[in-house]
Amino acid sequence: MPENLSNLLAYSENHTEPDFIGYGLLRRRAVMFLYGEYSSFKSWLAQDLAISLASGRDWLIYPTSRARVLIINAELSRLDYRIRWLKMITSRKLLGNEAVKSRIAIENSAEVKLDTSFGCNYVMSLVEKYRIEVIILDNLFSLAAGNLVSNVDANILIANCKLLASRTNVAVVWVHHARQGIIDLRSGGNFIQQAYEMFVSSFLTNWADTIVESRKENGHENVITLTPQKHRLSDIHPMGAMFKFNPLKAQFDIYV
């Protein structure tokens, strides 16, 4: 049903959405991609984000609003995942903080497929059961049954995620690998296409509200550059920064 402009403006004045990640990087019903090449610490960044949201602390250099988080890991075994979480929680002195830990729900399975009705309904049931506000999905190809370079299969995933967001008001964060880089034959170097390195086609890239790239810095061990490449809901240009991952403490320190 159409509405007049006065009603629409009144709605915007009376309804504000929290920034789960500051500067408009992640809001309710928004979709964010965190992508990068192999060994650019994407899964560590995803876990760090979950802890930051659950505790209401800054994620790297970005403020957060406290939220209940569901993180679905489709890559690591339960034992390996436990080791990672134990290291991260301990280094942040949160091991005895039951309030923070209770705000993180973990599904450690590669059987969940978000582009199937069963998978979508299962995740929706978890959201309702644990009152989840942010879902972190690690990673895209492991949690989809279809061929995501096909617009038909990709559109099923997009439709399911939109249905999930509209019914539950959750924000969704996808962890994703960069595709193989393109070689510029004229210069002999890599041709960087920024966020379009995520996919051969652009339909999933266009769907995202926020895209953040994690890129390894050659010649600097454990150093990444984190760059917001798309920030559709932000009124400003969010800053990027370089971080050095400390494997002993499982945390990211500002490098530059």
Side-chain angles (χ1 to χ4, degrees), residues 156-220:
I156 294 173
L157 177 70
I158 292 172
N160 281 0
C161 286
K162 285 182 176 179
L163 180 65
L164 177 64
S166 65
R167 288 189 177 177
T168 63
N169 285 325
V170 296
V172 178
V173 178
W174 285 100
V175 179
H176 183 48
H177 303 296
R179 66 187 176 93
Q180 187 174 357
I182 297 175
I183 302 297
D184 186 343
L185 297 178
R186 291 172 296 180
S187 65
N190 288 333
F191 178 65
I192 299 172
Q193 293 186 296
Q194 293 192 324
Y196 289 102
E197 291 186 17
M198 290 198 302
F199 301 102
V200 175
S201 299
S202 64
F203 35 83
L204 286 168
T205 306
N206 295 340
W207 167 49
D209 298 295
T210 300
I211 298 174
V212 178
E213 181 200 30
S214 177
R215 184 177 292 274
K216 293 188 294 185
E217 290 297 325
N218 294 331
H220 301 268

Side-chain angles (χ1 to χ4, degrees), residues 234-248:
S234 178
D235 294 328
I236 64 171
H237 192 300
M239 292 187 299
M242 292 177 67
F243 300 93
K244 186 176 179 66
F245 181 70
N246 184 331
L248 295 178

Side-chain angles (χ1 to χ4, degrees), residues 34-60:
L34 172 62
Y35 86 99
E37 58 190 317
Y38 171 76
S39 193
S40 56
F41 303 106
K42 299 182 297 297
S43 292
W44 288 106
L45 285 165
Q47 288 178 246
D48 194 51
L49 174 59
I51 293 174
S52 298
L53 289 170
S55 60
R57 298 179 180 181
D58 287 357
W59 179 54
L60 308 173

Side-chain angles (χ1 to χ4, degrees), residues 125-162:
S125 71
L126 296 179
V127 170
E128 294 171 353
K129 178 178 181 179
Y130 296 103
R131 293 177 291 142
I132 298 301
E133 296 166 285
V134 178
I135 305 174
I136 301 174
L137 300 160
D138 188 7
N139 60 68
L140 180 63
F141 279 121
S142 298
L143 293 169
N147 174 17
L148 294 181
V149 300
S150 160
N151 63 338
V152 174
D153 290 353
N155 282 331
I156 294 173
L157 177 70
I158 292 172
N160 281 0
C161 286
K162 285 182 176 179

